Amino acid sequence: MIHFVLLISRQGKVRLTKWYSPYSQKERTKVIRELSGVILTRGPKLCNFVEWKGYKVVYKRYASLYFCMCIDQEDNELEILEIIHHYVEILDRYFGSVCELDLIFNFHKAYYILDELLIAGELQEPSKKTVARLISAQDSLVETAKEQRSTISNIIAQATK
Amino acid sequence: MNPFSSGTRLRDMIRAIRACKTAAEERAVVRKECAAIRSSINENDHDYRHRNIAKLMFIHMLGYPTHFGQMECLKLIASAEFPEKRIGYLGLMLLLDERQEVLMLVTNSLKQDLNHANQYIVGLALCALGNICSAEMARDLAPEVERLLQFRDPNTRKKAALCAIRIIKKVPDLAENFINPAAALLKEKHHGVLITGVQLCTDLCKVSAEALEYCRKKCTGGLVRTLKDVANSPYAPEYDIAGITDPFLHIRLLRLLHVLGQGDADVSDLMNDILAQVATKTETNKNAGNAILYECVETIMSIEDNGGLRVLAINILGRFLSNRDNNIRYVALNMLMKAITVDTQAVQRHRATIVECVKDSDASIRKRALELVYLLVNESNVKPLTKELIEYLERSDQEFKGDLTAKICSIIAKFSPEKIWYIDQMLKVLSEAGNFVKDEVWHALIVVISNASDLHGYTVRALYRAFQTSAEQETLVRVAVWCIGEYGDLLVKNVGVLDIEDPITVTESDAVDVVEVAIKHHTSDLTTKAMSLIALLKLSSRFPSSSERIQDIIIQNRGSLVLELQQRSIEFNSVIEKHHNIRSALVERMPVLDEATFIGRRAGSTPATVSTSNGPSLNLPNGVTKPPAAPLVDLLDLSSDDAPAPSSSGADFLQDLLGVDLSPASKQPGISGTNQAPRTGTDVLLDLLSIETPPASPITDILSSSQVYKSPHASLEGLSSPSALSTRAATPAGAAPMMDLLDGFVPNSPISEDNGPVYPSIVAFESSSLRIMFNFSKARGNPQTTSIQATFTNLSPNVYTDFIFQAAVPKFLQLHLDPASSNTLPAGGNGSITQNLRVINSQHGKKSLVMRMRIAYKSNDEDILEEGQVSNFPRGL
């Protein structure tokens, strides 16, 4: 089971956090501080796993971003690397060659995609296409709602003129 | 309208925050935004609620408090529109966790949304439920989830399946409701549903024996077929990763087969073919293929024995181990740890490679490899392996030295074939990394040295040499100082030279030099200095010609700011100056420390005595400190000579006390002698010393004698409260009176002694075959930390081997497990295993300890697993 997902920038800024096990706000801050200290200082050629408080943290760097997932001792580390890559590919398709700035200004979108990929710390969908389809369906739902709203407010505005 | 709530857009706020150059600027921006959001919340502003939560999520990620937005999430969720719900659920998952009461308020909205006509709204609700639901919500909403497992839309089914995993983890009783719908999911074609269905079945089998039985009977064949289909599937672009169709599904299927096959030979048989196929046919040049192989090896290792498959698996691990990719090597080491219980010989073949991995530049790999090496050591390879590890110790990183040293010491202690080898290796470790050696390790070394009477000379000379090169290693200095104090004469006279030694000439003044360096060195801590003082006193009698110089060194500490050292140096000075007649008797060589008792003590069979045997002044947690501590204790009491109380009356009390206090401890003739002792304090002490000299079992003797020495102080205290005295006398010689005596003492001593309050022992676990007792102790001044000594007793007529005790604690506790005293538990309660645990309670005073434990062992060649929970810890731990 994945206990949490973190996206940390090279400078140690948090770009995304998702907690599947209960951590209080205080613990969350502590976890992030400790892990960024460990992970950001590791050399480039070393393995992608860090043992941490009885858990394992699998991380992978993509450009300036570190994608980290914390798992149990007996979980498959290599598979988690694949899941991270899976997520990155979906982000890439969605944003069109994703960069850190996309994830900063559209962080909620990154969360929506993650929610289509993982629930309860387990993988939900192995097909990138399906995830993309579900996300765009929901995005268009939001768009329609917005349009409706603006037409309604236009009508009201015109009526009250 | 509020001037703040006109509000910046989310994008503008992010820009403003990113433009901040300092943390203070950022805080200012965030503060302003939060103020605006709060006032907008207070005005119950519908239009901006959506934006406010989005901003709060960003602020939350930066680590600022955002609890005031929690209720806004609930309002968004309760709204009828999809966009509001979407952001509301996202905020709920990010800003809240299952422990917040507010979460209960959302149960009703969730229930409505789970029944919503729009499948995306159902999806949002399932996602939130799966990610943060609490046990209460799980109970309330389980029927909804169960229904959604059969929903027409596959994307809803897969979400419901994962939600069910969360529910059964929170409330295992609900598992049986999910067995049938979960098994139905295994027949699906949609990969998302299949993958989540397999995962749900795996988790069901872990929490429910009924589910395990059901899946073994009804699902194994189908699962094997599914795995075969997916492994042989033609190219499927939607699921393809590096030429493999859906590695995620592969891995989950293998993991479920692992759970089903473990402990069931028939089921294991069914899957042999497909496992062999996956193990041989999987492409290994990409990570995805290796991930599958890794899972496959794990499954082969866990299911019931099939020799051929295991050979295949071990070979795969061998290939992994020689892979250039660090990730692959890491998982290979990880898996070899598990393989070692299955086939030690096969793992031994890779020993050389594994030892190389200990020296890797990657800390994660080093750590794994070191643990594996530790498991690989046995009587036949201990010498070369230790040599290799010690050589590496010289070159290893500082942060790795701690782990490495601890493991080397443990290996040496466990497998040493002979004493001289043990001593040699320990001295090497002490000179390389003495600062990392734990107290109990060098205590054990002193016990071994004291027992190896033919090696005393050799050891003290070796230590002398080591000191010349490695004087910066604190523990080496301590052991050297102790040995020179005890065996200084052997050092100077070259007694007992072995053939292998180089000749060495050490004069008396050289030996004193060593101790002088130790006591004067700025890095020496109190323990080292105190030990050095004692060594000096001992040397003053062993080397009469250097006596004056020694006295000078001792006098220099009269001005020490540490009361303990000051007092000792004044007392020792007076011993050297005024009491020539008793000095030699006073500083006689320590009686041999009994190894068996020591080991027993360490293992905790007599916890009470261990705790009392601490010297009152030395802050050392172990019984072995006695050698240095005991002389301190007795000499301390010589100070009653200098004490203002008239010596004759002091002696009177001494006699009284001796008569009372000692009688339960021993019935030696010496006691009656003391009753008629002359009335001068020194003579009484002489007599006391004579009690010490005929030692039958040295440890107890030291105990009793040190008790004697303590009595005068008690007597002075007892002057005011005679009743206290009699109660003390009534208690049998042992922990309680000692502690009382020590307590009477504390105001004098700058360092408080570390015996904490006493807690009752509990029976932590009892079954028909096994009993576990917990003894507690707590260091004073550190109420959060509890030391637990677990004692395991075998109640069955069979011997248990491979005994492993594991414990888990909730997050607010921290648990450290020391190695157990043994892994073999003799039958019928004839002996026990002990293991020390240390628990740090971060919520001390608010929450009490709880612990879950698992005990695995082999009885009659059968693996047995027992589990239990301990919730009857004494209060206040």
Side-chain angles (χ1 to χ4, degrees):
Chain A
M1 176 193 171
I2 299 167
H3 294 280
F4 53 79
V5 178
L6 293 181
L7 261 67
I8 308 173
S9 78
R10 189 80 198 86
Q11 287 77 36
K13 292 261 188 243
V14 181
R15 297 304 177 205
L16 182 146
T17 61
K18 186 86 186 175
W19 310 86
Y20 297 103
S21 296
Y23 289 84
S24 68
Q25 180 69 40
K26 219 174 176 178
E27 289 164 328
R28 290 179 186 187
T29 323
K30 194 161 157 257
V31 165
I32 293 169
R33 192 172 355 101
E34 284 184 18
L35 275 181
S36 38
V38 175
I39 289 171
L40 299 181
T41 51
R42 274 174 70 84
K45 290 265 168 64
L46 308 182
C47 72
N48 295 84
F49 319 126
V50 178
E51 288 177 32
W52 179 75
K53 297 193 171 162
Y55 297 105
K56 280 179 188 159
V57 177
V58 179
Y59 71 92
K60 191 153 167 95
R61 182 179 171 178
Y62 288 88
S64 57
L65 270 186
Y66 285 86
F67 288 70
C68 318
M69 293 190 180
C70 173
I71 52 170
D72 288 318
Q73 280 290 348
E74 67 273 5
D75 285 337
N76 187 331
E77 301 90 339
L78 299 178
E79 190 210 4
I80 299 296
L81 280 178
E82 280 308 317
I83 293 183
I84 291 176
H85 190 71
H86 193 56
Y87 180 42
V88 174
E89 281 192 332
I90 295 171
L91 287 174
D92 202 54
R93 263 185 219 190
Y94 183 81
F95 288 104
S97 73
V98 65
C99 68
E100 194 181 338
L101 277 180
D102 291 327
L103 298 186
I104 295 172
F105 286 104
N106 293 300
F107 68 91
H108 49 294
K109 303 252 167 94
Y111 276 107
Y112 293 143
I113 295 174
L114 188 62
D115 282 341
E116 287 299 329
L117 196 66
L118 299 175
I119 288 182
E122 301 289 354
L123 185 71
Q124 167 185 182
E125 179 56 61
S127 157
K128 297 189 261 288
K129 229 163 107 187
T130 309
V131 175
R133 197 164 46 76
L134 289 170
I135 290 290
S136 71
Q138 295 180 58
D139 283 353
S140 63
L141 263 185
V142 173
E143 284 308 313
T144 353
K146 267 189 192 162
E147 270 166 31
Q148 265 178 9
R149 221 170 286 171
S150 61
T151 22
I152 291 172
S153 60
N154 277 345
I155 293 167
I156 294 172
Q158 277 171 359
T160 51
K161 238 176 207 173
Chain B
M1 202 171 202
N2 187 301
F4 290 106
S5 65
S6 60
T8 41
R9 293 191 305 155
L10 171 64
R11 186 163 280 268
D12 296 331
M13 183 196 80
I14 296 176
R15 281 218 183 89
I17 289 174
R18 280 173 54 76
C20 295
K21 292 199 176 60
T22 62
E25 264 179 64
E26 185 188 289
R27 277 198 295 275
V29 173
V30 169
R31 204 160 39 230
K32 213 171 132 202
E33 281 295 341
C34 284
I37 294 169
R38 275 174 196 267
S39 61
S40 166
I41 290 174
N42 286 340
E43 285 172 15
N44 211 0
D45 188 340
H46 300 279
D47 299 336
Y48 290 113
R49 194 172 275 155
H50 183 268
R51 181 194 283 175
N52 286 341
I53 289 302
K55 283 183 183 172
L56 275 182
M57 284 192 280
F58 192 83
I59 292 172
H60 174 91
M61 277 200 292
L62 298 174
Y64 296 94
T66 50
H67 48 273
F68 54 86
Q70 291 172 349
M71 283 309 289
E72 293 298 285
C73 294
L74 303 193
K75 289 181 191 159
L76 282 170
I77 291 170
S79 120
E81 302 290 319
F82 180 76
E84 271 78 20
K85 279 188 189 294
R86 197 185 194 193
I87 196 96
Y89 275 118
L90 186 57
L92 184 80
M93 288 185 280
L94 196 61
L95 305 184
L96 274 82
D97 67 66
E98 61 173 278
R99 286 174 300 198
Q100 266 139 354
E101 309 249 315
V102 188
L103 196 58
M104 281 307 289
L105 301 174
V106 88
T107 313
N108 205 30
S109 300
L110 273 173
K111 191 160 187 160
Q112 280 173 8
D113 286 347
L114 289 174
N115 291 304
H116 204 279
N118 182 337
Q119 63 165 83
Y120 295 108
I121 290 180
V122 177
L124 287 178
L126 280 173
C127 181
L129 188 62
N131 285 345
I132 58 167
C133 87
S134 60
E136 291 87 353
M137 291 167 79
R139 270 183 224 281
D140 289 346
L141 299 173
E144 255 66 34
V145 175
E146 208 182 309
R147 183 176 55 78
L148 289 171
L149 280 174
Q150 284 130 18
F151 197 72
R152 65 191 146 70
D153 173 51
N155 292 312
T156 306
R157 287 204 295 275
K158 72 184 186 195
K159 286 191 163 75
L162 293 183
C163 223
I165 293 181
R166 171 96 181 188
I167 290 174
I168 58 164
K169 275 184 185 165
K170 291 285 160 202
V171 191
D173 309 343
L174 292 172
E176 58 186 86
N177 301 347
F178 287 101
I179 297 174
N180 282 315
L185 295 180
L186 298 180
K187 300 188 185 85
E188 297 262 0
K189 288 280 173 277
H190 185 284
H191 278 227
V193 182
L194 190 50
I195 231 175
T196 52
V198 172
Q199 187 66 48
L200 174 56
C201 285
T202 312
D203 283 298
L204 276 172
C205 290
K206 281 180 188 162
V207 295
S208 148
E210 192 188 335
L212 181 60
E213 220 26 67
Y214 183 89
C215 287
R216 273 181 181 157
K217 277 209 194 91
K218 300 271 171 77
C219 307
T220 315
L223 286 168
V224 169
R225 257 194 315 282
T226 313
L227 182 55
K228 208 170 268 168
D229 288 346
V230 69
N232 297 325
S233 124
Y235 177 67
E238 196 171 350
Y239 299 106
D240 186 81
I241 293 180
I244 297 165
T245 303
D246 205 343
F248 303 114
L249 181 57
H250 271 97
I251 289 170
R252 277 177 185 64
L253 284 167
L254 285 167
R255 197 173 299 154
L256 181 52
L257 289 179
H258 160 177
V259 174
L260 296 181
Q262 198 165 24
D264 190 322
D266 295 337
V267 172
S268 300
D269 260 359
L270 286 175
M271 57 187 78
N272 279 340
D273 288 348
I274 184 65
L275 290 180
Q277 190 201 331
V278 172
T280 46
K281 295 264 175 65
T282 306
E283 199 64 50
T284 59
N285 42 20
K286 285 279 164 48
N287 181 56
N290 285 324
I292 294 175
L293 267 186
Y294 177 49
E295 197 66 45
C296 187
V297 169
E298 167 121 41
T299 304
I300 292 174
M301 290 296 179
S302 320
I303 63 169
E304 291 316 300
D305 198 18
N306 177 315
L309 273 183
R310 291 217 164 138
V311 172
L312 198 61
I314 299 260
N315 286 343
I316 292 174
L317 292 181
R319 278 213 311 278
F320 273 18
L321 202 55
S322 52
N323 200 305
R324 286 224 308 281
D325 185 344
N326 279 333
N327 289 339
I328 307 291
R329 283 200 295 149
Y330 176 89
V331 297
L333 290 169
N334 205 13
M335 192 55 73
L336 284 168
M337 293 267 281
K338 294 176 189 166
I340 206 166
T341 49
V342 177
D343 188 351
T344 317
Q345 276 314 308
V347 183
Q348 288 283 4
R349 274 203 297 281
H350 300 292
R351 203 175 64 215
T353 328
I354 296 166
V355 173
E356 281 311 302
C357 289
V358 176
K359 304 169 189 171
D360 201 274
S361 59
D362 187 333
S364 298
I365 290 186
R366 280 198 308 248
K367 192 158 174 259
R368 273 285 128 234
L370 183 61
E371 273 168 31
L372 189 53
V373 167
Y374 182 67
L375 295 178
L376 280 177
V377 177
N378 57 29
E379 282 80 6
S380 61
N381 60 21
V382 60
K383 283 191 174 181
L385 272 179
T386 313
K387 182 161 177 279
E388 187 113 25
L389 291 179
I390 290 178
E391 274 169 14
Y392 177 59
L393 190 57
E394 294 168 28
R395 294 176 283 126
S396 66
D397 297 342
Q398 286 299 318
E399 63 263 36
F400 190 49
K401 271 193 172 140
D403 276 353
L404 188 57
T405 311
K407 284 277 188 292
I408 295 177
C409 291
S410 168
I411 291 171
I412 295 174
K414 211 162 152 193
F415 294 105
S416 84
E418 66 230 348
K419 280 197 169 138
I420 184 165
W421 185 84
Y422 177 95
I423 292 171
D424 278 346
Q425 305 308 314
M426 282 309 298
L427 294 194
K428 277 189 206 159
V429 174
L430 287 182
S431 355
E432 272 321 318
N435 291 334
F436 297 94
V437 170
K438 297 226 166 55
D439 280 348
E440 54 269 24
V441 172
W442 66 267
H443 295 163
L445 174 62
I446 285 187
V447 174
V448 171
I449 292 175
S450 127
N451 275 280
S453 51
D454 47 335
L455 295 174
H456 285 166
Y458 169 77
T459 310
V460 70
R461 280 189 294 277
L463 276 165
Y464 178 80
R465 279 199 206 95
F467 182 86
Q468 305 302 323
T469 54
S470 312
E472 74 284 356
Q473 305 289 354
E474 186 96 38
T475 50
L476 176 81
V477 173
R478 287 186 196 166
V479 177
V481 162
W482 188 86
C483 285
I484 288 174
E486 293 298 320
Y487 313 120
D489 43 343
L490 308 181
L491 173 66
V492 174
K493 290 179 200 142
N494 265 329
V495 176
V497 179
L498 305 182
D499 300 338
I500 48 169
E501 274 184 84
D502 294 328
I504 180 171
T505 328
V506 183
T507 64
E508 290 186 358
S509 90
D510 288 340
V512 178
D513 281 346
V514 169
V515 187
E516 189 179 5
V517 168
I519 202 167
K520 286 188 176 161
H521 202 274
H522 64 280
T523 60
S524 298
D525 71 359
L526 177 62
T527 311
T528 314
K529 288 189 173 169
M531 289 177 73
S532 306
L533 270 181
I534 298 161
L536 283 172
L537 180 69
K538 294 211 163 192
L539 287 182
S540 76
S541 147
R542 313 247 198 287
F543 304 153
S545 58
S546 302
S547 187
E548 253 172 52
R549 181 176 163 212
I550 290 172
Q551 203 180 348
D552 282 345
I553 304 173
I554 290 180
I555 286 173
Q556 285 164 13
N557 278 286
R558 275 196 314 204
S560 170
L561 289 178
V562 184
L563 184 58
E564 200 58 46
L565 294 179
Q566 191 187 57
Q567 191 176 349
R568 297 290 172 271
S569 60
I570 291 170
E571 289 156 5
F572 291 0
N573 184 32
S574 86
V575 172
I576 296 175
E577 216 160 60
K578 297 183 198 151
H579 303 292
H580 286 286
N581 51 341
I582 64 158
R583 192 174 64 189
S584 59
L586 197 58
V587 301
E588 257 184 17
R589 201 165 283 168
M590 286 295 294
V592 172
L593 302 156
D594 185 32
E595 264 174 302
T597 321
F598 171 70
I599 291 162
R601 241 160 225 261
R602 243 173 88 184
S605 52
T606 51
T609 23
V610 170
S611 55
T612 51
S613 64
N614 287 339
S617 52
L618 290 176
N619 196 2
L620 296 172
N622 199 298
V624 210
T625 51
K626 199 117 33 51
L632 263 187
V633 174
D634 55 11
L635 286 162
L636 187 70
D637 290 75
L638 268 181
S639 67
S640 60
D641 276 12
D642 301 331
S647 65
S648 60
S649 73
D652 263 336
F653 273 97
L654 251 184
Q655 286 176 11
D656 286 354
L657 265 176
L658 287 173
V660 199
D661 226 359
L662 254 185
S663 45
S666 66
K667 299 246 183 285
Q668 291 180 26
I671 296 164
S672 57
T674 38
N675 282 338
Q676 294 123 32
R679 306 216 147 196
T680 56
T682 48
D683 282 345
V684 173
L685 277 162
L686 248 181
D687 264 0
L688 293 180
L689 287 166
S690 72
I691 301 176
E692 191 192 0
T693 24
S697 97
I699 297 278
T700 45
D701 230 278
I702 292 164
L703 245 186
S704 63
S705 58
S706 56
Q707 195 180 351
V708 172
Y709 296 136
K710 257 185 229 89
S711 10
H713 271 265
S715 74
L716 296 175
E717 185 197 46
L719 276 171
S720 53
S721 59
S723 58
L725 202 64
S726 55
T727 46
R728 231 169 258 149
T731 354
M738 284 289 283
M739 278 173 54
D740 283 353
L741 293 171
L742 290 178
D743 279 352
F745 218 70
V746 167
N748 286 347
S749 145
I751 304 159
S752 65
E753 40 102 21
D754 56 356
N755 298 324
V758 180
Y759 293 93
S761 308
I762 59 164
V763 177
F765 178 84
E766 183 150 22
S767 69
S768 55
S769 48
L770 183 70
R771 183 169 54 222
I772 305 177
M773 297 281 296
F774 278 0
N775 289 316
F776 305 97
S777 58
K778 229 183 222 309
R780 191 165 291 171
N782 189 2
Q784 295 201 335
T785 309
T786 309
S787 301
I788 304 177
Q789 260 157 346
T791 312
F792 309 100
T793 318
N794 179 350
L795 305 174
S796 81
N798 305 319
V799 178
Y800 296 165
T801 55
D802 300 340
F803 188 91
I804 297 171
F805 168 75
Q806 292 168 307
V809 292
K811 290 245 158 48
F812 69 91
L813 299 174
Q814 253 186 322
L815 175 71
H816 301 269
L817 268 174
D818 290 342
S821 58
S822 151
N823 62 357
T824 311
L825 194 52
N830 297 325
S832 56
I833 297 179
T834 54
Q835 187 163 15
N836 287 330
L837 298 83
R838 198 148 42 82
V839 180
I840 301 171
N841 185 351
S842 61
Q843 310 245 25
H844 177 74
K846 286 183 226 148
K847 295 190 181 175
S848 50
L849 300 188
V850 276
M851 184 181 289
R852 195 167 283 172
M853 53 200 188
R854 188 157 78 164
I855 309 103
Y857 52 84
K858 268 192 179 162
S859 168
N860 270 345
D861 271 344
E862 202 179 321
D863 285 317
I864 296 181
L865 192 66
E866 298 200 56
E867 288 181 324
Q869 181 161 351
V870 196
S871 41
N872 58 336
F873 283 103
R875 283 175 167 276
L877 283 177

